[in-house]
Amino acid sequence: MSHLFPNYARDEIDLVVGSGSYVFDQNGTKYLDFMSGIAVSNLGHHHPKVMQALSEQSEKIWHSSNLYTSNLQEKVAEKLTMGKDYLAFFCNSGTEANEAAIKLARKATGRSKILSFEQSFHGRTYGALSATGQPALQAGFFPIVEGFEYLPYNQLEPLKQHLNEEVAAVMLEVIQGEGGIIPAEKEWLQAVAALCKENGSLLIIDEIQTGMGRTGTFFAFEAYQIEPDIITIAKALANGIPVGAMLGKSGLAEAFGPGSHGTTFGGNNLAMKVADAVVSEINQPEFLAAVAKKGSYLKAELTKLIVTSEKVLDVRGKGLMIGIELDSAETLQQTIQELKAHKLLAIKAGKNVLRLLPPLTISQDELADGVEIIQAVLSN
Ligand SMILES: Cc1ncc(COP(=O)(O)O)c(C=O)c1O
């Protein structure tokens, strides 16, 4: 009998060892990892630079406190803000990064409304859950936080109608991840950014799944030539050591003065040392160009399935964040099990989308192996 709450529908495999693009279960069975712990292990498993950072810091000090100066936090913040006019706040997870973003937006603007989008996912704590445009995830947890409205994604008219002087922020994912790998259209996102500016509302971009090089640029929004007011990241920031961050324009600093917001663990020495190594590794032009190239190959190969497989309706996404829309939720469940039987791990998104998130360090040969397995399973 399990002693755990049944809030996850868990598969029976227990992944006990990881190495590069492979993971091994409790029976020693080896799987090609096409999910990276849901976009967390972007540098794969057992990466030498990550291992070195972790072991070096573990010999020094793990945790000090945000009551003291942190040169490690300063270092990571400098790398994440990339010479632009942003400041960083560190926390422990994606949902906490979004909580910080929502609080900062309300306090800095003095406005209360947050507009987000249908089928979005921003986290499970009350603020982030309230921003999440999925009624099924909110069911049973009412009352949620007041002041959130959900609009159709990729549509401009409803946004124009709802954007008024009460709106503190518009919050969105550049590619909706949990919602089904749905990319924002470029014109739409650029118009959203312009409308926010005009209206004095802040634009919060949730890069928790799309960031850290996942789509072939460090942040996915970079491909849209927009400048968000607030950016949230987590997941791959320390390749599996829990950490999150909110980056916000320096003009918002006054709203987050001493004592206004905080966390005990956020940005602790161990997480920051690893984050420093991870950001340095990923934010290199050659590394990002390789992700884009591998992503183009993956998408091009899988797109062929739209013609060759009756089960495949669409192939979407960018870089190494690809969704294959299947003809039904049943096909999706069956496909995930068949891929597992062929020793490849992939996950779902939305109701009927197969989500592929291989480590960004995956080799071309490993990627080709994965493509072969997916094509074989979906061509049946
Ligand atoms: C886009 C997005 N935002 C927020 C979150 C929440 O992050 P966490 O699970 O670390 O709280 C997730 C997690 O899947 C996510 O994909």
Side-chain angles (χ1 to χ4, degrees):
M1 195 195 90
S2 173
H3 296 279
L4 302 174
F5 271 105
N7 57 316
Y8 303 107
R10 295 176 190 270
D11 191 282
E12 75 277 3
I13 59 170
D14 181 0
L15 302 175
V16 293
V17 174
S19 175
S21 306
Y22 293 96
V23 286
F24 298 79
D25 72 10
Q26 69 272 43
N27 303 315
T29 304
K30 181 180 176 184
Y31 300 91
L32 186 52
D33 183 2
F34 259 52
M35 52 85 75
S36 305
I38 323 185
V40 168
S41 316
N42 279 11
L43 292 177
H45 305 274
H46 228 262
H47 188 284
K49 295 218 172 116
V50 179
M51 298 290 292
Q52 191 191 341
L54 185 67
S55 66
E56 263 179 27
Q57 192 60 41
S58 74
E59 297 288 338
K60 291 184 181 167
I61 183 169
W62 296 15
H63 175 86
S64 50
S65 161
N66 285 312
L67 295 174
Y68 301 102
T69 295
S70 171
N71 276 309
L72 276 172
Q73 284 188 18
E74 291 288 351
K75 206 169 161 196
V76 181
E78 192 180 349
K79 287 186 181 170
L80 286 174
T81 53
M82 300 178 211
K84 299 227 172 78
D85 184 29
Y86 290 94
L87 299 173
F89 163 78
F90 290 105
C91 52
N92 311 286
S93 64
T95 201
E96 278 175 83
N98 285 336
E99 293 295 328
I102 293 163
K103 286 179 73 176
L104 179 62
R106 282 185 165 174
K107 192 150 182 240
T109 60
R111 300 176 179 187
S112 60
K113 268 199 188 145
I114 309 280
L115 304 182
S116 63
F117 294 90
E118 290 167 5
Q119 78 274 324
S120 60
F121 185 85
H122 298 294
R124 303 286 192 160
T125 50
Y126 262 107
L129 177 67
S130 304
T132 292
Q134 298 196 47
L137 301 186
Q138 295 174 348
F141 295 117
F142 287 92
I144 57 169
V145 181
E146 281 175 38
F148 289 82
E149 285 172 13
Y150 320 102
L151 307 177
Y153 193 67
N154 275 331
Q155 288 185 33
L156 208 53
E157 270 317 304
L159 182 71
K160 282 185 181 163
Q161 283 163 19
H162 284 79
L163 207 54
N164 56 34
E165 67 287 348
E166 288 175 39
V167 176
V170 174
M171 184 168 182
L172 61 92
E173 300 155 85
V174 172
I175 300 177
Q176 292 188 320
E178 302 297 314
I181 312 292
I182 305 167
E185 284 161 17
K186 194 165 185 172
E187 275 179 15
W188 176 74
L189 186 45
Q190 289 181 338
V192 172
L195 285 170
C196 282
K197 201 165 215 166
E198 223 171 83
N199 193 57
S201 305
L202 303 178
L203 178 61
I204 304 173
I205 299 288
D206 179 338
E207 290 270 1
I208 289 160
Q209 192 160 153
T210 52
M212 301 302 298
R214 176 57 53 192
T215 67
T217 45
F218 190 78
F219 294 117
F221 75 76
E222 290 174 68
Y224 292 75
Q225 292 91 44
I226 55 162
E227 205 172 289
D229 298 287
I230 298 178
I231 304 158
T232 54
I233 43 180
K235 284 190 182 281
L237 178 53
N239 215 57
I241 301 293
V243 66
M246 176 194 67
L247 309 178
K249 281 288 176 71
S250 64
L252 304 170
E254 216 180 297
F256 256 21
S260 56
H261 189 59
T263 152
T264 296
F265 285 130
N268 89 1
N269 309 59
L270 204 56
M272 286 297 102
K273 182 72 180 181
V274 178
D276 182 40
V278 172
V279 176
S280 301
E281 195 66 12
I282 292 179
N283 201 12
Q284 299 290 340
E286 317 80 61
F287 184 95
L288 294 168
V291 174
K293 191 169 170 216
K294 286 182 273 193
S296 299
Y297 161 81
L298 181 63
K299 194 171 174 188
E301 285 301 311
L302 297 175
T303 299
K304 293 177 189 167
L305 286 165
I306 300 175
V307 178
T308 58
S309 167
E310 280 177 9
K311 298 174 195 163
V312 175
L313 304 183
D314 195 13
V315 176
R316 300 189 288 263
K318 194 156 182 237
L320 292 172
M321 180 174 187
I322 301 292
I324 305 180
E325 186 178 349
L326 301 173
D327 60 3
S328 70
E330 293 72 45
T331 305
L332 174 62
Q333 283 316 324
Q334 203 183 339
T335 302
I336 289 173
Q337 288 311 316
E338 281 177 30
L339 289 171
K340 198 180 101 182
H342 285 78
K343 310 290 182 280
L344 182 143
L345 299 183
I347 53 174
K348 69 180 276 236
K351 284 195 176 60
N352 60 337
V353 177
L354 180 69
R355 181 167 29 158
L356 307 173
L357 303 161
L360 308 184
T361 47
I362 194 165
S363 72
Q364 178 58 35
D365 285 351
E366 290 163 345
L367 204 56
D369 287 348
V371 165
E372 203 177 304
I373 295 171
I374 295 163
Q375 284 176 337
V377 165
L378 284 172
S379 297
N380 279 332

